[in-house]
């Protein structure tokens, strides 16, 4: 069943608002402090972070999200005009997205592929049209944007907001809604190897190591096998973390003009960055969601089978199961107690050994006398063709006559 977005009670509204403000401020300040981009490109996380917090903790927390984003932008030296426009754009866009997701029955736990695809289509493609428009509204009205630059500014804002949803939102939604995680030594070893390979590929693709071999743009998709491995072997949460790490190192490649996205003009590769991150993140996460649902289905089938056997074992009726070749594969306790035989003796056609001789003889006589009553080439309509499994595996009743 789809999860309804939570609504805080009056008693803990203040605490939730304070925590939302503090959390949003801390994450935003950390990212903005290490970003060398000016304008909205340096605040790529804002919209995705705001949307994820409202989806997880409820729409009424929007004042805390708005305040935290504004204070973080001001603390990092962003002008009051830019900080206000970014904050208003992120908050209004997140509010619109959360309201729309709520009406669509969105599950913030991302337990189904349809929920993730909804996040991509609505959150990363459609809602950024609205938030990007809000983002450039104040700068345009205040004269900071000219008619010639407004198109580029709007596209830059849309790309940043879209990337924020693709990378930041899944991580927060999955890890804030997570249950207990128990990892075996094999999982730790696998994650260690995956981390090491990720570092190696990052150094090659994004930081210029062996750039003449690995530095071509299309070869950047060599990281896709790592995301596929994460999706199949470690699930949704690790895949989401891999996506945001991939995005972070891509941003560094642009900032320091090295590796895969090295350009003399840092704004030039934004469209390439969006294509690269979109393909990588959506491929990895979609595969992770498919395997997550497959594992859930397999677990449900195992539980259903266990429940059936528990019910069948407690029944006083004689219950058995057969495979596709009509060979018996299981008998319940009542059957074994009634026949006084072991399960190994009954498997396959072994249960036929327990049939009384008079039952076999009666079936033979039914077949003989019934056959004399039916002329050759006759058309026969039977009801309940009690055959081998019902009567002993030799003649049957109606089938014996036929």
């Amino acid at each position: 069943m789809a999860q309804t977005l939570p609504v805080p009670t009056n008693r803990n509204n203040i605490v939730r608002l304070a925590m939302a403000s503090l959390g949003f401020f801390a994450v935003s300040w950390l990212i903005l402090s290490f970003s060398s981009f000016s304008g909205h490109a340096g605040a790529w996380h804002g919209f995705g972070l705001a949307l994820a917090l409202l989806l997880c903790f409820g729409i009424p927390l929007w004042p805390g999200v708005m305040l935290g984003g504004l204070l973080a932008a001001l603390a990092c030296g962003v002008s009051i005009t830019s900080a206000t426009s970014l904050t208003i754009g992120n908050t209004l866009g997140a509010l619109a997205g959360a309201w729309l997701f709520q009406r669509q029955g969105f599950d913030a736990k991302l337990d189904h592929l349809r929920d993730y695809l909804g996040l991509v289509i609505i959150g990363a493609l459609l809602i950024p049209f609205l938030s990007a428009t809000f983002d450039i509204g104040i700068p345009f009205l205040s004269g900071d944007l000219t008619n010639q630059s407004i198109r580029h500014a709007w596209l830059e804002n849309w790309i940043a907001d879209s990337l924020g949803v693709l990378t930041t939102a899944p991580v927060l939604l999955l890890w804030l809604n997570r249950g207990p995680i128990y990892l075996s030594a094999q999982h730790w070893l696998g994650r260690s190897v995956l981390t090491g390979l990720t570092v190696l590929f990052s150094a090659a693709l994004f930081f210029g190591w062996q750039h003449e071999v690995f530095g071509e743009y299309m070869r950047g998709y060599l990281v896709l096998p790592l995301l596929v491995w994460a999706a199949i072997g470690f699930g949704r949460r690790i895949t989401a973390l891999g996506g945001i790490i991939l995005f972070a190192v891509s941003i560094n490649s642009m900032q320091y003009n090295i590796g895969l996205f090295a350009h003399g003009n840092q704004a030039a590769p934004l469209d390439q960055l969006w294509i690269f991150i979109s393909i990588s993140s959506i491929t990895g996460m979609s595969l992770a969601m498919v395997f997550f649902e497959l594992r859930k289905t397999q677990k449900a089938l195992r539980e259903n089978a266990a429940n059936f056997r528990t019910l069948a074992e407690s029944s006083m009726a004689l219950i058995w199961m057969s495979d596709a070749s009509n060979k018996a594969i299981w008998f319940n306790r009542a059957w074994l107690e009634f026949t006084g035989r072991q399960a190994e003796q009954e498997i396959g056609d072994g249960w036929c050994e327990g049939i009384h001789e008079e039952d076999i003889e009666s079936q033979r006589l039914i077949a003989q006398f019934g056959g004399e009553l039916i002329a050759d080439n006759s058309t026969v309509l039977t009801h309940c063709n009690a055959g081998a499994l019902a009567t002993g595996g030799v003649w049957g009743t109606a089938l014996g006559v036929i």
Side-chain angles (χ1 to χ4, degrees), residues 338 351-363 391-392:
F338 179 80
W351 60 274
C352 296
E353 300 173 2
I355 298 175
H356 296 292
E357 290 297 327
E358 60 266 26
D359 185 25
I360 298 176
E361 179 63 18
S362 67
Q363 295 168 43
T391 58

Side-chain angles (χ1 to χ4, degrees), residues 90-320:
N90 287 336
T91 306
L92 292 179
L95 277 171
W99 176 82
L100 185 57
F101 279 124
Q102 187 176 38
R103 290 182 61 87
Q104 296 295 321
F106 177 78
D107 185 359
K109 294 181 180 180
L110 293 185
D111 281 343
H112 304 281
L113 177 61
R114 65 174 181 269
D115 295 313
Y116 174 72
L117 295 179
L119 182 67
V120 171
I121 296 172
I122 297 176
L125 299 179
L126 299 181
I127 299 299
F129 280 92
L130 182 63
S131 61
T133 303
F134 288 141
D135 290 335
I136 65 173
I138 293 179
F140 178 73
L141 294 176
S142 62
D144 292 341
L145 286 177
T146 63
N147 292 331
Q148 291 76 18
S149 61
I150 189 171
R151 180 180 178 182
H152 175 76
W154 185 91
L155 180 60
E156 180 182 288
N157 291 347
W158 183 90
I159 289 176
D161 288 344
S162 178
L163 289 174
V165 174
L166 288 174
T167 57
T168 307
V171 173
L172 291 177
L173 292 175
L174 290 171
W175 286 90
L176 290 176
N177 288 304
R178 71 183 180 91
I181 299 177
Y182 306 99
L183 297 177
S184 63
Q186 181 180 2
H187 275 80
W188 280 115
L189 177 61
R191 291 187 178 189
S192 299
V193 174
L194 178 63
T195 301
L197 290 177
T198 302
V199 172
L200 178 64
F201 273 80
S202 297
L205 297 172
F206 303 104
F207 300 115
W209 181 69
Q210 294 294 317
H211 182 66
E212 66 279 2
V213 179
F214 297 104
E216 296 295 332
Y217 174 68
M218 289 305 296
R219 294 184 183 178
Y221 293 100
L222 289 172
V223 299
L224 280 179
L226 297 180
L227 290 177
V228 171
W229 181 19
I232 297 175
F234 304 103
R236 304 168 299 158
R237 298 185 181 99
I238 298 302
T239 306
L241 283 178
I244 200 170
I245 291 173
L246 180 62
F247 179 56
V249 294
S250 301
I251 285 288
N252 274 277
S253 175
M254 293 175 62
Q255 288 178 343
Y256 299 109
N257 200 28
I258 58 175
L260 186 60
F261 293 105
H263 281 267
N265 178 8
Q266 289 185 346
L270 274 178
D271 55 343
Q272 298 178 5
L273 174 67
W274 183 84
I275 294 173
F276 176 73
I277 295 299
S278 297
I279 293 175
S280 301
S281 296
I282 294 174
T283 299
M285 283 301 300
S286 296
L287 190 60
M289 296 301 302
V290 168
F291 273 88
F292 174 74
E293 291 198 55
L294 178 62
R295 292 186 181 105
K296 277 207 313 181
T297 302
Q298 292 173 337
K299 180 181 178 182
L301 290 175
R302 289 194 297 268
E303 291 175 350
N304 289 339
N307 292 336
F308 167 76
R309 295 206 175 196
T310 300
L311 179 64
E313 288 288 3
S314 62
S315 174
M316 297 302 296
L318 306 185
I319 302 176
W320 50 269

Side-chain angles (χ1 to χ4, degrees), residues 4-10 12-13 16 54 56-61 102:
T4 303
L5 298 184
V7 178
T9 62
N10 292 331
N12 58 14
N13 266 350
R16 286 174 175 265
L54 295 186
C56 282
F57 302 113
I59 291 177
L61 291 185
Q102 187 176 38

Side-chain angles (χ1 to χ4, degrees), residues 320-323 326-331 346-349 351 389:
W320 50 269
M321 290 192 302
S322 64
D323 58 19
N326 289 329
K327 299 295 183 181
I329 59 174
W330 180 82
F331 299 87
E346 302 289 271
I347 296 299
D349 293 326
W351 60 274
L389 289 178

